[in-house]
Amino acid sequence: MLRKKFNEKWLYSRRLSTIESMTNLGEATSKPIEVTLPHDAMIMEQRRPDTKNQTHTGFFPGGTYEYKRNFYAPEEYSDKVVTFEFEGVYMNAMVYINGEFAGKRPYGYSNFYINANRFLKIGAENEIKVIANTSAEPNSRWYTGSGIYRDVKIIIGDLLHIQVDGVKISTPNIREDLSIVEVCTSVENDGNVTKNVYVLTEVKDGSGNIVASDKLPLTAYAGEAVTVRQRLDVHSPKLWSVDTPYLYSCSSKIVVNNEVLDEEENQFGIRKLQLDRKHGLRINGEVVKLRGACIHHDNGVLGAATFERAEERRIELMKEAGFNAVRSSHQPISKAMLDACDRIGMFVMDEAFDAWSNSKVDHDYHLNFHEWWEKDIQAMVDKDYNHPSVIIYSIGNEIQEAGTKEGANWNRKIAEKTRSLDGTRFIINAVNGMICITDQLGEIMAELNDNTISSTVAEEETKEINNLMSSLMGMMNQIVTHEKVGKLTEETFAGVDIAGYNYMSGRYELDASLYPNRIICGTETFPQDIDTNWKMVKRNTHLIGDFTWTGWDYLGEAGIGKLDYTLDDSKGIYGPYPWYIAYCGDIDITGNRRPQSYYREIVWELRKEPYITVQRPEHYHDKISKTSWSWSDSISSWTWPGYENKPVKIEVYSDAEEVELLINNQSIGRAPVGDDNRFKALFDTIYQPGELTAVAYVNGQETGRMKLQSAGEELELAVKVDRESLQATGSDLAYINISLRDGMGTLQTAVDRKVSIAVEGEGILQGFGSADPTSLENFFDTERTTFDGKVLAVIRSKAKAGAITVTVSADGCKPYCFVVPVI
């Protein structure tokens, strides 16, 4: 079938409120504007402190949005099958063709298809309209975006065709000399004539050479669908892994009298998955420990809009930071990110739902679960099946009913449905033991003889699990190791292949003896616990990995990683307006690594050099309030004008035995680090501009060093573009990292400026922003203030070859101009 992106020339409008309509001459919608998909309508909304979404979306409101596009249906469509594919519409999508209802999809993360044939006007102009409705607030616990935020495709096929998602490729037998590739092809005949055809399948290597093929006859009866299976031998297979992500391609054709009626092309990888208590998780026979990152679906300054390059860049940067696995939290991952994980090499745990029958917020998925869960599981599996990066399906996250018999029953239903669709991957459920015992928390606290938290507070806090966990910080392990947690969750865990533990590290080794056949994965953990968690991962075969919350910072759940010097706990863990970023990721929303990322890399034994980070000296004497997801208030900088000869705290991370700290080549002391000291040394000293050096030692011998240099008074713009050219696709991206530097190139972290950007030619400014978690600026203006000296711009190509001219300027700096070719 011919698949073509259908992203251009959509007319977008927003349904107006009653007051807006009155001031807009009674119009029901805003003036339509032409947009190219993917498009996030929420990121264009004005944030408001009074929105019902509150911190969930970072104070972005929802709404009702309409997308229309005209298209011509030529005469040849009269004997074709015409299908529209929507990779993601958030949410409650309603699709109309020529004014007639054509289909809907409530879940905002499911890939879905609309058959257009019965609605088409052949030889005439047609209209397709999509309405997305996020006006019922809140409908999620994080920033979702609104509208058609992923790609749309039009699919044209013969009446006799391969069904959409109709090719399933697996590798059931793998040896060093030979791999069996099994290809299941679903063929459908929508015509009125039975046809005798051949199904030709060819497997090609990475260079395009045919390494296996098979041709079999098929009688395709009119009005019926049939699945054919072919087993092909691939000799001396090259295996897929995160270190060697080798991909094959599979061409599936329907052939009649040497004429190809239909064809599908799919990439796949050959890799073997094994899971047992003796070895844990094995990929291609090798034991693998998952160095995991939980990630939400938004792309920072782009909002929820899903671009191939944006997803690719995230995976590139996370892999550079040491991660080898991502968990999509808490919704099915995009096709674009799956493609990137396949190419770059990243394991995937794809997650289906954040809620089943019980709600977490008023208008979330629980309203549609009973009617739609099977279709949404089917959509996730169909999307993932041919991707070697996907190794685990997660059927739920912190499901409130997981500790009940009814919840365990649903767990079995969903797990068995998933297995019936794909028996080649493992299934997990990410359970939070605290949620399972919230109604018994007071009783458990009494048993633990703890009077620090009253039953009244406990009752209030149970309404919001993140607040509850943070308020019980320091007691989590005592609570989740209570025998009631084990009893309440054992039936649910018995229904899946891997027990997913959210914030239950206290049970890792306890449950090794209590449940001798259970395999565990830390599906969600606090960033501050990575060293103790990883120690357990390394020494226990039944514990296959750790997924931190989170690998990449995100919009919404505003301020869960905040550092508060007001000591005002009245609002719980979340940040009041104008907070809009979670502020808990290893990598910030612009793609820059934060200190905890380098700490994690050291714990994972992937970095030998020490890492220096400095706590902000303006808060040296202040008391601080943290959440369970906070890191220290520090950055890797030795530029603090105005704090000369004043006290400062310096953190040094290292796996060595000890580190020495030097200021301007003068030693201020040594301190032990390494595993026994949680890989961290803290130095309390006086700030003196110049050079700060940390030297790591093992057995008295230097093993690595790091330096920080104070920035001078000069101020220059430094601009780094990640692409030499862009493709004229209408959706290719270039990321422009803009920073303030001195004459020697040292980052000016203490002198922020407003930066302006102008984009001309065959491109547009798609997003512009910083990692400032409380900024009142937006992502689409041409002016933005740096944060710790940095800001990010993203330009998007148009669908025409040419050039994009970009000019960057800031007060006190010489403007910087450059050209990006569009080819």
Side-chain angles (χ1 to χ4, degrees), residues 47 403 439 442 445 695:
R47 292 199 299 134
D439 59 341
M445 296 294 288
V695 184

Side-chain angles (χ1 to χ4, degrees), residues 631-652:
W631 197 253
S632 66
D633 193 5
S634 61
I635 59 173
S636 189
S637 173
W638 195 234
T639 302
W640 305 101
Y643 292 93
E644 292 81 1
N645 300 315
K646 293 182 179 179
V648 64
K649 286 186 173 69
I650 301 166
E651 301 173 20
V652 180

Side-chain angles (χ1 to χ4, degrees), residues 27 106 119 158 374 402 564 608 704 764:
E27 294 291 335
F119 309 104
D158 195 86
E374 288 185 279
D564 185 8
K608 300 306 297 181
I764 63 169

Side-chain angles (χ1 to χ4, degrees), residues 354-362 364-367 369-370 397-404 406-407 410 435:
D354 188 49
W356 293 349
S357 300
N358 293 354
S359 66
K360 291 181 178 175
V361 294
D362 291 346
D364 65 15
Y365 185 73
H366 83 283
L367 297 174
F369 171 73
H370 289 272
N397 169 69
E398 296 183 347
I399 301 300
Q400 292 172 298
E401 57 266 43
T404 68
E406 183 63 19
W410 273 110
I435 288 179

Side-chain angles (χ1 to χ4, degrees), residues 604-634:
W604 282 336
E605 301 174 28
L606 301 176
R607 177 188 172 97
K608 300 306 297 181
E609 296 80 13
Y611 186 78
I612 308 170
T613 185
V614 181
Q615 295 183 13
R616 299 180 190 269
E618 62 263 37
H619 295 299
Y620 180 87
H621 295 288
D622 297 336
K623 291 183 179 181
I624 188 171
S625 173
K626 295 182 177 182
T627 77
S628 300
W629 293 270
S630 301
W631 197 253
S632 66
D633 193 5
S634 61

Side-chain angles (χ1 to χ4, degrees), residues 154-317:
I154 186 170
I155 306 172
I156 311 298
D158 195 86
L159 292 177
L160 179 60
H161 59 274
I162 298 170
Q163 290 182 332
V164 292
D165 298 321
V167 179
K168 300 289 195 300
I169 306 165
S170 60
T171 54
N173 297 302
I174 301 172
R175 300 197 310 266
E176 185 176 347
D177 63 328
L178 178 71
S179 173
I180 302 299
V181 176
E182 184 172 281
V183 183
C184 298
T185 307
S186 296
V187 178
E188 188 170 25
N189 186 355
D190 283 339
N192 297 319
V193 179
T194 296
K195 291 188 177 181
N196 296 310
V197 301
Y198 285 91
V199 176
L200 173 63
T201 298
E202 296 174 331
V203 174
K204 301 174 186 177
D205 63 17
S207 300
N209 303 308
I210 297 174
V211 295
S213 65
D214 184 62
K215 185 178 181 181
L216 58 78
L218 173 67
T219 302
Y221 288 98
E224 292 189 6
V226 63
T227 297
V228 297
R229 296 178 183 270
Q230 295 165 286
R231 290 169 64 88
L232 298 89
D233 294 351
V234 174
H235 295 274
S236 302
K238 295 182 179 180
L239 304 186
W240 186 96
S241 71
V242 292
D243 297 321
T244 56
Y246 191 89
L247 293 173
Y248 290 86
S249 63
C250 176
S251 172
S252 306
K253 301 176 183 177
I254 300 176
V255 181
V256 179
N257 298 326
N258 294 320
E259 177 189 357
V260 177
L261 292 185
D262 199 11
E263 181 177 4
E264 286 285 337
E265 189 88 12
N266 287 278
Q267 286 193 316
F268 70 99
I270 298 174
R271 54 106 177 92
K272 184 178 182 180
L273 302 181
Q274 294 170 281
L275 189 68
D276 59 65
R277 279 284 297 230
K278 182 178 180 180
H279 304 95
L281 175 65
R282 285 182 289 171
I283 312 290
N284 302 327
E286 299 291 329
V287 174
V288 170
K289 296 292 188 179
L290 300 177
R291 304 188 302 270
C294 296
I295 54 170
H296 271 312
H297 71 295
D298 73 81
N299 275 302
V301 303
L302 305 180
T306 302
F307 294 89
E308 292 174 6
R309 174 55 189 158
E311 304 287 66
E312 178 183 64
R313 176 177 178 264
R314 276 209 285 172
I315 297 302
E316 287 174 348
L317 294 178

